């Protein structure tokens, strides 16, 4: 969706909500009950902002703030030291950011890169980004509230807001109480938010790195690579191509167990010639649909003469004459046969068997990609195109 469309939808939503709020407040039949509902629920609406405020969580903050007072005192004191170190690091990073900006360094070389929805953040991930902001904002303010209770500062209330598309939270503390406590106790309250955000990051990283071990009963490792997405109009897109969620386990005779082996198999296919397949000569003659006079050049032979979605020109050697012959064969039927690299790999008693190879140029390869339960994908082209399919 275009950025202008997003902007129009957001502005339209807030405009409609604000006009509805004004209408219900000014209409005599609904104004009194509507205002009463807003006051009792703690909801307030202004231009491009929706806010919810409550004091029902005050007792919860009080119970948590009075739990293990000595531990909480040490906990928030560590938060003060972390806040001071983080402030120095932030000043250093921001200084580098200013220097790089003045030097006109590219964005990817900057120390900090701002997250811009629709620019470097895909629109499909905006909901996760906003949910993350809301959760981190709530835990940030809860840290302030618990630290305030620990330092005997009154908590008046807690709230959540939405400003345009930015979600957040806030805590209402008694200003008079904060001003009378010592500077160290004030720092414990002020630094509690950023300290809790840092702890959230550590917990999230621990959870992220432990995911492979936690999810072992639900998935397997080293069995292939999973297709995360397929670029539209790429070499492997389309109804017969690869689909998101499928697992690639083999490229021709090269097994695929992880992303590194996937890249290794593609690189190996560039250096080696396409594999052949063992077929009885009588079967080749039965399936051959090549015309009597097909086109050929010094470097390339097209025994099918027409572009076909099912047939491909193959070549093989005849034992009787020793010459190279060509046949237009159905590609899928041919590639389903046993694989061979040399003529000696094919043997059947009392029957002449040939190893048929795709009659294609040196840069083009015929690859058989095994992916899930569907029939294998027959890829005809340069293997480097697979790198640009973002699978």
């Amino acid at each position: 969706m275009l950025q202008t469309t997003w902007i129009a939808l957001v502005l339209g939503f807030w405009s409609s909500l604000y006009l509805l709020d004004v209408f219900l407040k000014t209409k005599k039949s609904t104004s009194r009950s509507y205002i009463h509902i807003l006051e009792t629920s703690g909801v307030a609406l202004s231009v491009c902002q929706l806010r919810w405020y409550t004091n029902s969580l005050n007792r919860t903050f009080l119970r948590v703030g009075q739990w293990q007072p000595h531990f909480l005192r040490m906990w928030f004191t560590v938060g003060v030291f972390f806040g001071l170190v983080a402030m120095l690091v932030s000043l250093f990073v921001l200084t580098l950011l200013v220097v790089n900006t003045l030097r006109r360094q590219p964005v990817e070389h900057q120390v900090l890169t701002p997250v811009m929805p629709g620019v470097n953040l895909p629109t499909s991930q905006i909901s996760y980004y906003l949910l993350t902001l809301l959760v981190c904002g709530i835990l940030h303010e809860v840290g302030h509230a618990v630290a305030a209770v620990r330092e005997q500062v009154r908590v008046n209330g807690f709230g959540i807001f939405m400003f345009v598309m930015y979600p957040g939270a806030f805590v209402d503390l008694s200003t008079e109480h904060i001003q009378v406590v010592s500077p160290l106790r004030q720092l414990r309250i002020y630094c509690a938010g950023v300290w809790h955000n840092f702890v959230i990051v550590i917990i999230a990283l621990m959870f992220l790195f432990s995911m492979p071990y936690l999810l072992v009963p639900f998935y397997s490792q080293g069995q292939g690579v999973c297709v995360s997405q397929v670029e539209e109009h790429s070499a492997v897109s389309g109804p017969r191509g690869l689909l998101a969620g499928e697992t690639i386990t083999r490229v021709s005779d090269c097994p695929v167990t992880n992303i590194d082996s996937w890249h290794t198999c593609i690189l190996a296919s560039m250096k080696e010639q396409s594999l052949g397949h063992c077929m009885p000569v009588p079967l080749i003659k039965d399936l051959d649909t090549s015309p009597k006079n097909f086109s050929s050049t010094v470097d390339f032979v097209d025994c099918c003469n027409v572009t076909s979605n099912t047939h491909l020109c193959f070549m093989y050697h005849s034992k009787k004459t020793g010459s190279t012959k060509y046949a237009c064969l159905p590609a899928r039927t041919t590639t389903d046969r046993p694989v061979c690299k040399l003529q000696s790999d094919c043997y059947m008693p009392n029957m002449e068997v040939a190893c048929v190879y795709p009659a294609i140029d040196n840069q083009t390869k015929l690859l058989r990609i095994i992916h899930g339960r569907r029939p294998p994908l027959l890829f005809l082209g340069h293997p480097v195109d697979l790198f640009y399919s973002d699978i």
Side-chain angles (χ1 to χ4, degrees):
M1 188 179 293
L2 297 176
Q3 295 184 14
T4 54
T5 306
W6 274 105
I7 295 174
L9 289 175
V10 171
L11 292 179
F13 169 77
W14 283 110
S15 300
S16 302
L17 192 62
Y18 181 74
L19 291 176
L20 179 63
D21 178 67
V22 173
F23 173 77
L24 294 176
K25 285 181 178 178
T26 55
K27 189 175 177 59
K28 292 183 179 180
S29 59
T30 59
S31 60
R32 182 174 297 179
S33 58
Y34 176 68
I35 293 175
H36 176 70
I37 292 174
L38 292 180
E39 291 177 350
T40 54
S41 63
V43 176
L45 180 65
S46 57
V47 179
C48 294
Q49 181 175 343
L50 183 65
R51 189 179 69 168
W52 173 73
Y53 178 83
T54 181
N55 54 16
S56 60
L57 299 176
N58 290 0
R59 290 190 177 183
T60 302
F61 294 144
L62 184 62
R63 286 195 295 268
V64 176
Q66 292 177 346
W67 173 80
Q68 297 292 334
H70 297 292
F71 170 77
L72 290 180
R73 180 174 179 272
M74 181 181 63
W75 174 261
F76 290 117
T77 301
V78 173
V80 171
F81 287 103
F82 171 79
L84 295 176
V85 173
M87 181 181 63
L88 296 176
V89 173
S90 300
L91 290 175
F92 176 72
V93 171
L94 291 175
T95 303
L96 286 181
L97 179 63
V98 173
V99 172
N100 289 336
T101 303
L102 294 177
R103 291 180 177 179
R104 298 182 179 181
Q105 294 286 342
V107 175
E108 56 270 14
H109 294 165
Q110 296 285 5
V111 182
L112 295 175
T113 302
V115 177
M116 295 175 287
V119 179
N120 56 2
L121 177 69
T123 54
S124 59
Q125 299 181 11
I126 289 180
S127 57
Y128 301 107
Y129 176 67
L130 296 179
L131 178 62
T132 302
L133 288 179
L134 180 60
V135 172
C136 291
I138 290 175
L139 295 177
H140 177 100
E141 298 302 326
V142 166
H144 289 307
V146 174
V149 171
R150 170 62 185 79
E151 303 303 329
Q152 298 180 352
V153 172
R154 187 177 71 237
V155 177
N156 297 324
F158 179 84
I160 299 174
F161 69 88
M162 170 69 76
F163 180 70
V164 188
M165 289 187 63
Y166 179 81
F170 61 95
V171 61
D172 181 17
L173 304 179
S174 174
T175 306
E176 294 80 5
H177 287 189
I178 293 179
Q179 291 176 349
V180 299
V181 299
S182 65
L184 179 58
R185 295 171 68 182
Q186 291 182 21
L187 285 175
R188 292 194 187 108
I189 299 173
Y190 296 146
C191 296
V194 67
W195 168 236
H196 277 199
N197 284 142
F198 175 73
V199 173
I200 294 170
V201 171
I202 298 300
I203 294 175
L205 289 175
M206 293 174 59
F207 182 75
L208 177 64
F209 290 122
S210 63
M211 285 285 284
Y213 306 99
L214 296 176
L215 299 180
V216 163
F218 307 102
Y219 82 109
S220 58
Q221 273 186 308
Q223 302 296 321
V225 294
C226 182
V227 180
S228 58
Q229 65 175 0
V230 180
E231 282 293 322
E232 190 176 358
H233 306 302
S234 67
V236 293
S237 63
R240 296 185 179 181
L242 297 176
L243 300 175
E246 291 183 326
T247 302
I248 299 175
T249 57
R250 182 175 290 272
V251 177
S252 294
D253 65 337
C254 182
V256 176
T257 57
N258 50 41
I259 192 65
D260 292 331
S261 62
W262 162 252
H263 293 158
T264 301
C265 289
I266 296 177
L267 292 174
S269 65
M270 296 180 187
K271 302 176 182 178
E272 301 176 356
Q273 66 175 10
S274 298
L275 295 175
H277 298 272
C278 297
M279 288 190 71
V281 174
L283 180 61
I284 296 175
K285 294 180 179 180
D286 290 339
L287 297 177
D288 185 14
T289 60
S290 58
K292 293 181 179 180
N293 298 320
F294 51 82
S295 60
S296 63
T297 62
V298 177
D299 301 323
F300 179 70
V301 175
D302 183 10
C303 60
C304 292
N305 269 357
V306 292
T307 302
S308 174
N309 293 328
T310 59
H311 285 62
L312 185 66
C313 187
F314 289 86
M315 63 179 182
Y316 64 99
H317 298 284
S318 173
K319 287 185 177 179
K320 295 181 179 180
T321 62
S323 61
T324 301
K325 293 189 176 183
Y326 297 90
C328 184
L329 303 175
R332 188 164 297 280
T333 302
T334 304
T335 54
D336 285 340
R337 304 291 302 182
V339 175
C340 58
K341 292 184 178 181
L342 302 171
Q343 179 65 38
S344 57
D345 295 335
C346 300
Y347 172 76
M348 290 182 66
N350 303 322
M351 183 175 293
E352 184 181 2
V353 182
C355 186
V356 296
Y357 304 90
I360 50 182
D361 60 82
N362 293 331
Q363 300 298 322
T364 304
K365 304 294 180 181
L366 177 62
L367 302 179
R368 194 167 183 262
I369 300 177
I370 310 299
H371 58 112
R373 300 178 181 177
R374 295 194 301 152
L377 168 67
L378 297 182
F379 172 81
L380 182 64
H382 198 292
V384 75
D385 291 337
L386 294 173
F387 278 114
Y388 299 103
S389 299
D390 287 342
I391 60 175

